[in-house]
Amino acid sequence: MELTGAEITIRCLQEEGAEYVFGYPGGAVLHIYDALFTQDQVKHILVRHEQAAVHAADGYARSTDKVGVALVTSGPGVTNAVTGIATAYMDSIPMVIISGQVPTHAIGEDAFQEVDTVGITRPCVKHNFLVKDVKDIAGTIKKAFYLAKSGRPGPVLVDIPKDISSHKTEFSYPSSVNIRSYNPVQQSDLGQVKLAVQLLLAAKRPMIYAGGGVILADASKQLTELVHLLGFPCTNTLMGLGGYPATDKQFVGMLGMHGTYEANMGMQYCDVLLAIGARFDDRVVGNVEHFNQEKRKIIHVDIDPSSISKRVKVDLPIVGDVANVLDDLLAELRGSKEKPDQQAIAPWWAQIKEWRGKNSLVYKHSDEIIKPQFVIEKLYEVTQGEAFITSDVGQHQMWAAQYYKFDKPRRWINSGGLGTMGFGLPAAMGVQLAHPGAHVACVTGEGSIQMCIQELSTCKQFQLPLKIIMLNNRYLGMVRQWQQFFHGNRYAESYMDALPDFVKLAEAYGHIGIRIEKPSDVEPALKEAFERKQQLVFMDFITDQTENVFPMVQGGKGLSEVILAEDL
Amino acid sequence: MRHIMSLLTENEAGALSRVSGLFSARGYNIESLTVAPTEDPTLSRITIVTSGSDAVIEQIFKQLNKLIEVVAVMDLSEGEHLERELMLVKVRAIGSVREEMKRMTDIFRGCIIDVTDKTYTIELTGTGQKLESFLQAIDRSLILETVRTGASGIGRGDRILKL
Ligand SMILES: Cc1cc2nc3c(=O)[nH]c(=O)nc-3n(C[C@H](O)[C@H](O)[C@H](O)COP(=O)(O)OP(=O)(O)OC[C@H]3O[C@@H](n4cnc5c(N)ncnc54)[C@H](O)[C@@H]3O)c2cc1C
Ligand SMILES: Cc1ncc(C[n+]2csc(CCOP(=O)(O)OP(=O)(O)O)c2C)c(N)n1
Ligand SMILES: [Mg+2]
């Protein structure tokens, strides 16, 4: 039987096991929406802005190991989606975005709602396609899912002109894909693994630095085993949090710009560094020249060769999937006659302990005014560390990363690479849909939340009982902090004036709103909110206006040139 | 350092813009870029002349390989290779200059492919350097127009870039 391109598109999504598609209709995708309407296997979540559709699909993907799916119309639908696509691209999140396009005969004529979607999205997708023949739809969507998920994951966009979605052809879904020009490494070089083990066993001041690749590869179990077997200290990037249990005694905290003192000092002064699925981001190593002043051997495991020796020259590259390489490393270590020598690294641990003694995450408590860090600590306690936490971008994001101790992967959902304000709420929707019944909290600021606040309406429609933890400092706090440090306290446009009454706003959307102004009310409010299992609770915490995030390694500085709270 | 890279890409509409977009997005230099289909109609061959530090060249190589439509990449400068570029030069050729131009063209093993009573159009192939030398050897003020293809390159002997 012949199906229309639109019907084929939906059949493909069914074949891929897509549970949800996050989207927003419009002229160019009307056929596809019509095809959605006549089935109920793939559920459609109607957002209120296309950016949110992509973030929600992204949150869904990050909190599971599945590919997120978004559907948007041509022109403004696509341009609205670009922020979401770029966000996913920077953090290597597997996603398929299906966009409508004007009919093939109108392409290039400045048709109504025409944009060059393939051109606009090219720099921020892993790959994209324009489908020009209905016969190609199934094969293209198959490829899109395969590309999105394999190798270094990323968003893939499929642009389907309106006429193509109405043309008819026989449907058959390909059972396999072969792209001759795309062969991500599966098995890594065992010789390199052996060399790595030798280096690790000879280390006196070892450090394990693990990033988002561990989460993406679902390899936190192997990472934990390896770290335990070696007895080495382990740090995570912002994207890697939860990849190694934060409550474990070998964990030294997050590293980088707002990382702990011990993690950054350990990174700077180690003699053997094992980097796993982490890309030496500028917010992690700061000034590369300063970093290179210390001599150390670097082993770097990454599936993408272009991540290796991009910013920091590496001594021993291992190209491969983190999970496979960790399995190989574990097997090699277990088979090796030599055993990790805890004696040899004891002085290093003593040094780390001393650094830890600085207590770099300490902050001044207050009985009068709510400290933002305190809210996160309480959030951690109340949820017993078991919640899924999404966040927006700013100071609140850093505090969430620092004070919520993630013991499990895929629980910490944030935009690291692009740093997209507005990500938190829609991402939380995707997470909640993927994990019905789980506690899902969005830690946000009064600036960020307003970038996708309209999604409160989506939450109402789909009964998503999110808990919104807004740290309201009446400032674009992260901007203000930089202005305080680097621009002589001139707070240019970083004050959030004319804020709405968020309690009323939440109520207007049909949710519960609470304002919390006293430290003693923080815990009861959180408890009450999490007890409301069926409702979204919007918590407006009025926090200390000028609290800063510490420690801080300024842009361009070295990891050991950190500013601690006590320094000021 | 100057590098010359050869690529095989899928002969698809978007491939060239992905390659050139990569260079502009990441701030890499492009001195020249040539592209044309190969004997296998599904493949195009691109030659890019670029320059950068070793680290930058390594990244360019890796980033090119990462593009989905790029089938194979070879840094020709890493081994023995040949380079040729084609140039067409239109010069004003009147009076005594006509003889002089003809002589220069012969010396550089070019040929005159179009003649009018006032102009010659000269075709010349060789390395970029040879083409440069030719332009310097003739009277600059006589040049009406030059067109260069940019370098095409190929490995010597057994160095073959093929599927
Ligand atoms: C306000 C703000 C402050 C920030 N401060 C910090 C900070 O203090 N510290 C910090 O760490 N970050 C910070 N960041 C985040 C930072 O910008 C980067 O996003 C982050 O450091 C990158 O993390 P990553 O190195 O783990 O790489 P990711 O972006 O997670 O990349 C993953 C790497 O793993 C590889 N990979 C993927 N899958 C696999 C696989 N299956 N097998 C092998 N390899 C794989 C990829 O190729 C890639 O190289 C901040 C961001 C913001 C917005
Ligand atoms: C879309 C977008 N625009 C601008 C920025 C720059 N920026 C980074 S943090 C920040 C302030 C965020 O304010 P708020 O959400 O109130 O969080 P706070 O830092 O106060 O906790 C801004 C404007 C950004 N990251 N994303
Ligand atoms: Mg704020």
Side-chain angles (χ1 to χ4, degrees):
Chain A
M1 196 184 78
E2 297 211 318
L3 299 182
T4 67
E7 288 161 344
I8 289 173
T9 303
I10 301 306
R11 284 290 297 276
C12 291
L13 296 182
Q14 294 174 347
E15 292 284 340
E16 287 293 338
E19 205 180 353
Y20 291 106
V21 40
F22 300 88
Y24 208 90
V29 282
L30 277 177
H31 296 306
I32 300 178
Y33 271 84
D34 204 37
L36 261 173
F37 193 67
T38 52
Q39 55 89 56
D40 46 20
Q41 191 175 333
V42 181
K43 294 183 270 298
H44 183 269
I45 304 295
L46 178 70
V47 294
R48 300 299 184 265
H49 187 295
E50 289 86 350
Q51 177 185 351
V54 185
H55 287 332
D58 182 330
Y60 179 88
R62 289 183 203 233
S63 68
T64 59
D65 61 353
K66 300 188 197 142
V67 177
V69 185
L71 171 61
V72 299
T73 193
S74 68
V78 165
T79 52
N80 272 351
V82 167
T83 301
I85 298 172
T87 302
Y89 179 69
M90 289 297 278
D91 291 340
S92 307
I93 305 304
M95 197 185 297
V96 170
I97 302 101
I98 293 175
S99 56
Q101 182 54 281
V102 301
T104 34
H105 58 80
I107 290 180
E109 293 181 347
D110 299 317
F112 177 64
Q113 297 197 324
E114 177 182 3
V115 292
D116 174 8
T117 299
V118 164
I120 285 182
T121 57
R122 186 181 298 127
C124 60
V125 290
K126 180 167 173 183
H127 198 58
N128 56 18
F129 299 93
L130 171 63
V131 184
K132 289 190 186 137
D133 186 333
V134 67
K135 294 194 185 68
D136 294 338
I137 291 184
T140 305
I141 294 181
K142 178 82 188 178
K143 279 187 192 166
F145 274 86
Y146 169 63
L147 286 170
K149 193 78 179 82
S150 59
R152 179 177 183 166
V156 179
L157 180 140
V158 181
D159 200 26
I160 307 179
K162 186 167 185 179
D163 53 334
I164 303 297
S165 62
S166 70
H167 294 169
K168 284 188 162 183
T169 191
E170 288 291 332
F171 171 69
S172 80
Y173 201 58
S175 55
S176 64
V177 226
N178 175 29
I179 305 175
R180 64 176 168 181
S181 56
Y182 176 76
N183 303 294
V185 182
Q186 293 305 328
Q187 201 51 52
S188 49
D189 186 336
L190 280 177
Q192 299 287 87
V193 169
K194 281 196 195 348
L195 287 175
V197 166
Q198 284 171 18
L199 267 179
L200 291 168
L201 290 175
K204 298 276 176 295
R205 303 189 309 279
M207 188 65 160
I208 294 179
Y209 147 59
V214 173
I215 313 274
L216 292 164
D218 283 312
S220 54
K221 199 171 135 275
Q222 290 99 312
L223 174 68
T224 310
E225 264 180 66
L226 181 79
V227 176
H228 284 166
L229 194 62
L230 288 166
F232 292 175
C234 178
T235 179
N236 278 152
T237 65
L238 181 72
M239 298 314 294
L241 292 176
Y244 187 83
T247 54
D248 186 276
K249 61 184 188 320
Q250 281 167 252
F251 188 61
V252 293
M254 179 174 84
L255 84 169
M257 179 173 272
H258 295 297
T260 66
Y261 187 66
E262 55 271 33
N264 284 335
M265 295 296 275
M267 182 82 170
Q268 180 74 8
Y269 294 108
C270 63
D271 67 347
V272 175
L273 179 65
L274 173 59
I276 308 174
R279 54 189 176 83
F280 291 90
D281 185 80
D282 50 294
R283 292 220 154 175
V284 168
V285 280
N287 182 331
V288 172
E289 270 158 40
H290 182 278
F291 185 65
N292 287 340
Q293 280 166 15
E294 300 302 321
K295 293 287 156 256
R296 62 178 90 66
K297 290 276 180 231
I298 303 180
I299 307 162
H300 192 177
V301 183
D302 204 293
I303 200 156
D304 177 1
S306 79
S307 280
I308 296 178
S309 293
K310 179 164 62 180
R311 299 191 68 243
V312 170
K313 186 114 186 70
V314 162
D315 303 281
L316 185 63
I318 305 181
V319 177
D321 180 73
V322 163
N324 295 342
V325 177
L326 285 174
D327 284 340
D328 292 345
L329 280 168
L330 281 166
E332 185 63 27
L333 258 178
R334 293 210 172 96
S336 151
K337 272 184 237 91
E338 239 180 297
K339 294 291 156 205
D341 181 357
Q342 298 307 316
Q343 222 46 40
I345 60 169
W348 176 237
W349 268 114
Q351 172 68 74
I352 290 172
K353 234 183 194 160
E354 193 187 315
W355 287 328
R356 249 184 197 160
K358 282 251 185 191
N359 215 351
S360 62
L361 291 180
V362 72
Y363 64 93
K364 280 201 196 75
H365 285 265
S366 163
D367 293 335
E368 252 99 83
I369 190 157
I370 300 177
K371 291 288 184 175
Q373 301 94 326
F374 177 72
V375 178
I376 306 295
E377 285 180 335
K378 288 293 156 200
L379 173 64
Y380 175 72
E381 283 171 31
V382 168
T383 57
Q384 295 166 336
E386 289 288 331
F388 288 84
I389 308 288
T390 72
S391 105
D392 266 303
V393 172
Q395 292 182 314
H396 60 273
Q397 176 188 22
M398 293 299 110
W399 287 316
Q402 291 174 329
Y403 295 92
Y404 200 97
K405 297 193 263 302
F406 295 94
D407 277 341
K408 291 183 190 155
R410 299 193 181 277
R411 295 294 170 112
W412 167 238
I413 313 285
N414 83 137
S415 163
L418 200 67
T420 309
M421 289 170 70
F423 175 80
L425 174 56
M429 304 189 314
V431 176
Q432 186 78 74
L433 285 161
H435 306 274
H439 285 324
V440 180
C442 165
V443 175
T444 182
E446 79 296 335
S448 295
I449 193 73
Q450 293 188 77
M451 286 214 178
C452 275
I453 191 91
Q454 75 285 347
E455 296 309 315
L456 286 175
S457 172
T458 311
C459 294
K460 182 69 189 170
Q461 181 177 346
F462 296 94
Q463 298 173 356
L464 303 176
L466 305 178
K467 304 298 173 266
I468 296 175
I469 317 286
M470 186 172 81
L471 303 180
N472 185 349
N473 51 9
R474 282 84 72 217
Y475 271 117
L476 299 174
M478 188 55 96
V479 173
R480 189 205 53 72
Q481 176 168 347
W482 283 53
Q483 289 170 333
Q484 181 187 343
F485 288 12
F486 315 123
H487 297 275
N489 289 304
R490 290 182 300 280
Y491 295 164
E493 306 298 323
S494 55
Y495 186 71
M496 276 272 101
D497 217 336
L499 286 171
D501 179 332
F502 286 101
V503 171
K504 284 201 187 132
L505 187 68
E507 286 168 0
Y509 277 109
H511 304 299
I512 299 169
I514 342 177
R515 182 171 304 111
I516 304 100
E517 294 175 274
K518 290 205 301 282
S520 55
D521 291 340
V522 170
E523 189 169 345
L526 284 167
K527 280 195 169 139
E528 188 198 323
F530 281 98
E531 269 157 25
R532 291 184 182 272
K533 294 218 160 56
Q534 306 303 327
Q535 279 145 319
L536 183 149
V537 184
F538 191 121
M539 282 162 276
D540 179 6
F541 290 96
I542 309 299
T543 60
D544 189 346
Q545 265 198 294
T546 53
E547 188 70 27
N548 287 323
V549 181
F550 291 112
M552 177 167 191
V553 179
Q554 280 173 240
K557 291 277 180 178
L559 286 177
S560 56
E561 301 173 305
V562 53
I563 313 173
L564 298 176
E566 62 181 35
D567 298 335
L568 293 186
Chain B
M1 250 240 310
R2 177 180 183 274
H3 281 250
I4 175 161
M5 303 220 182
S6 251
L7 281 71
L8 284 177
T9 69
E10 296 293 351
N11 191 1
E12 279 166 18
L16 178 61
S17 46
R18 284 184 216 280
V19 171
S20 61
L22 172 75
F23 277 75
S24 58
R26 294 190 183 261
Y28 304 142
N29 296 319
I30 297 190
E31 201 175 286
S32 69
L33 186 155
T34 69
V35 54
T38 64
E39 79 286 359
D40 173 349
T42 67
L43 289 173
S44 288
R45 175 120 175 190
I46 299 181
T47 309
I48 301 176
V49 177
T50 181
S51 60
S53 65
D54 288 353
V56 167
I57 297 296
E58 183 180 330
Q59 267 299 310
I60 292 177
F61 184 80
K62 288 172 168 177
Q63 294 289 351
L64 284 171
N65 260 311
K66 200 167 142 177
L67 295 176
I68 309 296
E69 283 158 347
V70 170
V71 183
V73 188
M74 186 190 253
D75 184 347
L76 290 174
S77 347
E78 280 193 340
E80 290 198 68
H81 66 281
L82 301 166
E83 267 181 51
R84 289 294 178 270
E85 183 175 353
L86 170 71
M87 175 168 71
L88 304 176
V89 197
K90 193 180 290 174
V91 293
R92 191 186 308 283
I94 12 178
S96 61
V97 171
R98 284 178 93 83
E99 199 35 49
E100 169 67 11
M101 272 302 167
K102 173 81 177 71
R103 210 167 54 81
M104 278 312 237
T105 306
D106 290 344
I107 292 174
F108 279 84
R109 293 177 200 284
C111 47
I112 297 173
I113 55 171
D114 184 44
V115 177
T116 67
D117 49 358
K118 293 200 191 68
T119 65
Y120 278 165
T121 300
I122 302 161
E123 175 196 313
L124 203 65
T125 38
T127 62
Q129 227 171 4
K130 172 177 163 185
L131 305 187
E132 263 327 305
S133 318
F134 178 77
L135 293 176
Q136 289 187 351
I138 61 174
D139 182 349
R140 284 242 149 193
S141 67
L142 297 175
I143 300 174
L144 297 172
E145 204 178 339
T146 63
V147 192
R148 295 173 64 159
T149 57
S152 290
I154 196 162
R156 287 194 64 179
D158 289 344
R159 285 190 88 205
I160 291 167
L161 182 64
K162 204 172 159 57
L163 260 204

